[in-house]
């Protein structure tokens, strides 16, 4: 009988210690089971729910409004403002979570310190990715290139298809998809062939030393300037530039629209060549004469030309 009473007392003491143990905000389980405490907790839960709903609503509204700014103006980039909108949204949600914890009496100072330390560790671990994001923001903000531009980045030449916060997608000349990290794009020289509306095409045409230079110049000028893609402003440059070993070289510089540049430059090479042929202007090419001399006729005949190329 005494053993039963001893066990019962032990169990009661354990229950009593659990009930009187501080488990929340300096209060024991017995204190929390009172009607006043339960009503207080219910009020905190309702307040936390209201804070969460308001936090999600406000963050969503602000995020959408910021993202909409990029679509309202053509000079602004949509991707950048979507990124800013997401930053604002998650910042508001983070503060909302802290307010909810404060509502229940949780001390958030230590939590903020832990989050800060974790953020530093994550930042060090992902510094390569973060550098790409930072470079992506700079690319979108300063816009040295944009979708549809024909560019050269490092050894990659092609058309820009997409610029994200992490990488830039380029379709090269063979229409192969090339993904370049933004840190390599921003940290290197960018040649944007679509950056300006006009470009200067340049050629060098050679004519023979016996050709009429004034006639050759007129043929070249009339052929190129008759093409509608040729611009008269700035004024074209057509001058003798070099006296080569077998030709007199004309240097020709004419401006055209950037979008016409490559095809225009190729077309003019053929057109000028055909026009010079039609006008009878000699277009020289390198020649070589080979002399052969035998031992038997060196004293009588001398050297005779055998082959000419």
């Amino acid at each position: 009988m005494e053993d039963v009473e001893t066990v019962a007392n032990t169990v009661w003491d354990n229950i009593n210690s659990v009930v009187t143990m501080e488990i929340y905000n300096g209060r024991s389980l017995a204190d929390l089971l009172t009607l006043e405490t339960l009503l207080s907790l219910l009020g905190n839960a309702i307040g936390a729910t209201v804070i969460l709903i308001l936090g999600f609503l406000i963050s969503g509204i602000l995020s959408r409004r910021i993202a909409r700014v990029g679509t309202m103006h053509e000079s602004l980039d949509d991707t950048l403002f979507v990124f800013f909108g997401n930053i604002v949204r998650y910042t508001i949600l983070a503060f909302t979570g802290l307010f909810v914890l404060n509502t229940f009496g949780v001390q958030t100072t230590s939590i903020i310190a832990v989050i800060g330390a974790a953020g530093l560790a994550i930042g060090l671990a992902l510094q390569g990715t973060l550098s790409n994001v930072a470079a992506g923001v700079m690319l979108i903000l300063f816009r040295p290139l944009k979708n549809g531009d024909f560019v050269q980045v490092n050894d990659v030449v092609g058309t820009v298809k997409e610029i994200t916060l992490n990488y830039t997608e380029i379709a090269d000349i063979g229409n192969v998809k090339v993904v370049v990290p933004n840190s390599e794009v921003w940290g290197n020289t960018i040649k944007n062939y679509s950056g300006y509306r006009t470009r200067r095409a340049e050629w060098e045409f050679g004519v023979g030393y016996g050709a009429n230079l004034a006639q050759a110049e007129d043929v070249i000028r009339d052929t190129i300037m008759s093409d509608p893609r040729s611009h008269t402003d700035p004024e074209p440059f057509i001058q003798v530039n070099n006296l080569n070993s077998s030709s007199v070289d004309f240097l020709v510089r004419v401006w055209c629209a950037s979008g016409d540049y490559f095809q225009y430059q190729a077309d003019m090479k053929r057109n000028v060549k055909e026009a010079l042929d039609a006008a009878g202007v000699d277009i020289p090419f390198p020649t070589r004469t080979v002399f052969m001399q035998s031992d038997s006729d060196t004293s009588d005949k001398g050297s005779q030309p055998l082959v000419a190329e």
Side-chain angles (χ1 to χ4, degrees):
M1 191 67 178
E2 293 179 358
D3 293 338
V4 174
E5 291 180 358
T6 301
V7 172
N9 290 332
T10 302
V11 171
W12 174 253
D13 291 339
N14 291 335
I15 294 174
N16 188 47
S17 63
V18 170
V19 172
T20 57
M21 182 187 303
E22 294 182 359
I23 59 174
Y24 173 73
N25 204 19
R27 297 180 180 182
S28 64
L29 181 60
D31 296 331
L32 294 176
L33 292 176
T34 62
L35 180 60
E36 179 182 359
T37 304
L38 292 176
L39 290 175
S40 176
L41 290 175
L42 180 61
N44 290 340
I46 294 174
T49 303
V50 172
I51 292 174
L52 279 175
I53 293 174
L54 289 176
F56 277 100
L57 288 176
I58 294 173
S59 64
I61 292 173
L62 290 178
S63 176
R64 287 192 295 271
R65 286 184 177 274
I66 293 174
R68 195 177 302 150
V69 172
T71 61
M72 294 172 60
H73 304 279
E74 294 183 358
S75 59
L76 301 178
D77 195 284
D78 298 350
T79 307
L80 180 63
F81 283 88
V82 170
F83 175 66
F84 287 156
N86 287 333
I87 290 178
V88 171
R89 180 186 179 191
Y90 290 119
T91 301
I92 293 175
L93 290 179
F95 280 104
T96 299
L98 294 177
F99 289 148
V100 169
L101 294 176
N102 277 326
T103 302
F104 288 101
V106 178
Q107 298 297 323
T108 57
T109 305
S110 58
I111 296 177
I112 294 175
V114 171
I115 293 175
L120 179 61
I122 294 173
L124 292 175
L126 300 177
Q127 56 183 340
T129 301
L130 294 178
S131 66
N132 287 331
V133 173
V137 173
M138 300 299 287
L139 288 173
I140 296 172
L141 184 62
F142 292 101
R143 304 183 72 181
L145 70 172
K146 61 182 184 298
N147 291 351
D149 284 352
F150 188 77
V151 301
Q152 178 178 348
V153 179
N154 292 338
D155 296 329
V156 181
V157 179
T159 303
V160 178
K161 293 297 184 181
E162 185 180 8
I163 303 173
T164 70
L165 289 174
N166 290 307
Y167 62 85
T168 297
E169 179 184 332
I170 299 175
D172 71 2
I173 298 177
N175 200 32
V176 177
K177 179 180 178 180
V178 181
V179 177
V180 184
N182 282 337
S183 59
E184 295 186 11
V185 178
W186 180 253
N188 288 280
T189 301
I190 301 172
K191 287 187 177 181
N192 190 340
Y193 297 104
S194 304
Y196 300 120
R197 294 182 178 180
T198 58
R199 289 187 62 185
R200 189 185 69 184
E202 183 174 310
W203 306 269
E204 194 170 90
F205 300 108
V207 299
Y209 272 92
N212 187 322
L213 297 183
Q215 179 192 12
E217 182 177 341
D218 290 340
V219 171
I220 295 172
R221 183 183 302 274
D222 293 342
T223 302
I224 293 180
M225 299 312 297
S226 63
D227 192 287
R229 294 170 292 183
S230 303
H231 291 186
T232 57
D233 186 22
E235 186 178 352
F237 176 88
I238 304 176
Q239 296 287 339
V240 173
N241 179 62
N242 187 32
L243 299 178
N244 212 335
S245 59
S246 59
S247 65
V248 178
D249 297 334
F250 282 89
L251 178 63
V252 181
R253 292 172 177 166
V254 182
W255 290 80
C256 66
S258 295
D260 297 333
Y261 176 80
F262 291 101
Q263 189 60 49
Y264 171 71
Q265 192 177 47
D267 290 344
M268 291 304 99
K269 290 178 181 178
R270 176 170 182 169
N271 292 349
V272 169
K273 198 275 181 187
E274 292 177 347
L276 290 174
D277 288 343
V281 178
D282 178 40
I283 301 178
F285 52 89
T287 60
R288 180 180 302 165
T289 303
V290 178
F291 291 89
M292 295 192 65
Q293 185 176 16
S294 63
D295 295 336
S296 60
D297 59 1
T298 53
S299 58
D300 299 329
K301 298 182 181 180
S303 299
Q304 297 294 331
L306 182 64
V307 179
E309 294 181 355

